[in-house]
Amino acid sequence: MFINGTFSFIPQSKQPWILTHVLDPKDEKSRALIEHLESRGAARPFVEVVVFLSENNEAAENLEKAGFSIAYRESSALREAAPNLEIPFLYIEAPGEKGVYAGNYGKDFGDMEIAQSFYSQKLMRFLPTTTCGTILRVQKFLDPSAVLHASQSD
């Protein structure tokens, strides 16, 4: 494509942006998030994973039908990995990077606004994020890439 006489090339990564929603169905905010995710469905171009910290087969089934990959993790291990994060929280992994965001949701969840701001390379100034060390511990704990590979092989 030529724009003003110059060649414009935007490379596309074959790896997806992964949005991981970490929630506990026993928690009131998490239940509201489940309803929010069910109503909007998984959003493209992102790949979305929901990590449950306690079992809720009905919610998992509904979210899977809405296009989300599902995983379960132990809440005690999460407390060690990310003691400063409140449940529910959002973790975003960009192609070729471990994690670009690990933090709580904004007003009305705002998950897509948070993801879009990173996706479009806008600077996030209005939401507190966690330190790089916490992001790495959360990435190791959640391992969203492994969840995707497991769900794609099913």
Side-chain angles (χ1 to χ4, degrees):
M1 163 186 271
F2 285 94
I3 301 174
N4 296 332
T6 60
F7 185 74
S8 175
F9 173 73
I10 301 173
Q12 296 293 321
S13 173
K14 293 188 190 297
Q15 295 177 323
W17 279 74
I18 304 171
L19 278 57
T20 304
H21 307 272
V22 180
L23 50 88
D24 184 348
K26 296 175 185 174
D27 171 70
E28 185 178 332
K29 288 180 185 177
S30 292
R31 287 192 304 270
L33 176 60
I34 289 169
E35 290 178 20
H36 166 74
L37 295 174
E38 284 177 354
S39 69
R40 75 160 174 78
R44 302 290 176 241
F46 306 106
V47 172
E48 294 193 76
V49 175
V50 175
V51 173
F52 286 97
L53 299 178
S54 64
E55 296 223 13
N56 186 318
N57 293 335
E58 183 181 344
E61 188 176 304
N62 291 341
L63 288 169
E64 210 164 26
K65 287 178 185 174
F68 295 87
S69 294
I70 306 298
Y72 295 90
R73 298 288 187 268
E74 289 292 324
S75 62
S76 58
L78 174 63
R79 298 284 178 232
E80 291 176 26
N84 299 329
L85 288 174
E86 294 178 20
I87 305 299
F89 71 88
L90 175 65
Y91 171 76
I92 301 174
E93 193 170 283
E97 298 180 40
K98 290 295 182 195
V100 295
Y101 178 83
N104 298 105
Y105 292 87
K107 184 180 179 189
D108 299 324
F109 299 113
D111 50 330
M112 296 315 304
E113 291 82 1
I114 296 168
Q116 286 291 345
S117 67
F118 281 101
Y119 187 72
S120 63
Q121 302 300 314
K122 292 181 184 174
L123 182 62
M124 294 292 294
R125 293 183 188 266
F126 64 93
L127 284 173
T129 59
T130 58
T131 63
C132 291
T134 299
I135 287 177
L136 291 174
R137 287 191 303 274
V138 169
Q139 190 278 334
K140 184 177 178 182
F141 171 76
L142 296 175
D143 197 7
S145 297
V147 173
L148 292 179
H149 294 302
S151 66
Q152 291 171 353
S153 65
D154 290 344

